[in-house]
Amino acid sequence: MSAGSGLNGLSITERPRSLAETAYDAIEQMIISRRLAPGAMVSEGELGEELALGRTPVREALARLKAIGFVEVHPRRGVLVTPVDLITHLELLEVRRPLDETVARCVIARGTDQELAALDKGVAGLLAAAGARDRETYFRSKRVLHEAMVNAAHNATLTSTMAALHAQSRRFWYTYEPTASFVDCARIHAGIVAGVVARDAEMAVAGIGTLFDFLDQMTRRALDRRPLV
């Protein structure tokens, strides 16, 4: 299967991002980074003015953010940023574990050599950011790696499903993951990528098990502390 091909071998060309997608990415990042903190109330107009976008793409972006639990839309009052919920995150981890295993198996079966090389490059960037304890770069690098992994699975349903789950995870971990854990977490990701690049499903799945045990422990420890940012 060539790079940019789907399950049936047909070529998939990248399309320009829509204004709604641009708005979604920008507002999502504002919420994840807590520029829009839990409890904040904003209007479509305020967001559109800040992003230099019209109401329609902003409204479409907010509908997507509402669907993944980032905001509540209150007619005539505005848009409320929801709190980060630890119990919901534990439930999310239960859902993500088998899906991450499925992604890894799909990448092993379908990923091109070029895509596997991109995973190696992505995990190197994550390790560097973790070592520097640079929060912004660390989470940006983790997003790049996750998206590269999911895209290499060549499964549109997984792509859309994992995009929402990864966004919810990023929001939680940006708030609660201590910088002291960055290196350990990055090394576990490196082990998963090593298994995928070697096309060794057993190694990759074992690494995913280690990762989710680690994330579960960190989530439970977060019950006893305040948000870090």
Side-chain angles (χ1 to χ4, degrees):
M1 183 179 294
S2 62
S5 62
L7 293 178
N8 57 6
L10 296 177
S11 175
I12 299 174
T13 57
E14 291 190 9
R15 58 175 176 75
R17 295 185 67 73
S18 69
L19 292 178
E21 289 169 328
T22 299
Y24 174 87
D25 286 345
I27 300 169
E28 179 202 277
Q29 184 56 32
M30 291 165 71
I31 293 172
I32 288 173
S33 65
R34 298 173 74 86
R35 281 185 58 202
L36 288 176
M41 182 76 79
V42 293
S43 69
E44 289 180 3
E46 289 170 336
L47 290 170
E49 184 175 344
E50 176 158 354
L51 301 175
L53 292 170
R55 285 182 178 270
T56 298
V58 170
R59 187 174 297 123
E60 291 176 10
L62 290 172
R64 287 180 61 192
L65 290 163
K66 178 183 177 182
I68 63 172
F70 276 29
V71 300
E72 296 174 357
V73 179
H74 298 274
R76 295 181 296 279
R77 288 180 54 206
V79 178
L80 177 69
V81 179
T82 59
V84 177
D85 184 78
L86 278 75
I87 302 303
T88 298
H89 187 72
L90 286 170
E91 294 173 347
L92 182 146
L93 291 178
E94 288 183 353
V95 172
R96 265 197 59 190
R97 185 188 292 241
L99 288 176
D100 274 44
E101 292 176 358
T102 299
V103 169
R105 293 182 190 279
C106 288
V107 177
I108 288 168
R110 303 173 187 146
T112 66
D113 290 343
Q114 183 179 4
E115 287 167 334
L116 297 186
L119 294 178
D120 262 339
K121 182 178 180 181
V123 84
L126 179 62
L127 287 165
R133 296 194 173 189
D134 181 329
R135 196 170 203 85
E136 291 289 340
T137 305
Y138 173 77
F139 280 97
R140 185 165 57 249
S141 298
K142 192 183 285 189
R143 178 174 186 172
V144 168
L145 179 61
H146 285 161
E147 290 179 349
M149 181 77 79
V150 173
N151 289 338
H154 296 280
N155 182 309
T157 300
L158 272 177
T159 298
S160 59
T161 301
M162 296 304 291
L165 295 176
H166 281 152
Q168 292 166 315
S169 293
R170 280 195 302 277
R171 187 185 185 199
F172 180 86
W173 291 122
Y174 193 96
T175 302
Y176 283 105
E177 184 174 356
T179 54
S181 76
F182 285 3
V183 170
D184 287 341
C185 193
R187 286 174 177 166
I188 296 171
H189 278 82
I192 296 168
V193 169
V196 171
V197 170
R199 300 191 190 273
D200 184 334
E202 185 175 349
M203 179 180 176
V205 169
I208 290 167
T210 299
L211 174 64
F212 279 88
D213 288 345
F214 180 77
L215 297 179
D216 183 88
Q217 291 169 8
M218 275 208 301
T219 302
R220 294 179 190 280
R221 286 198 295 269
L223 291 167
D224 300 322
R225 63 172 178 260
R226 294 181 178 180
L228 300 173
V229 292

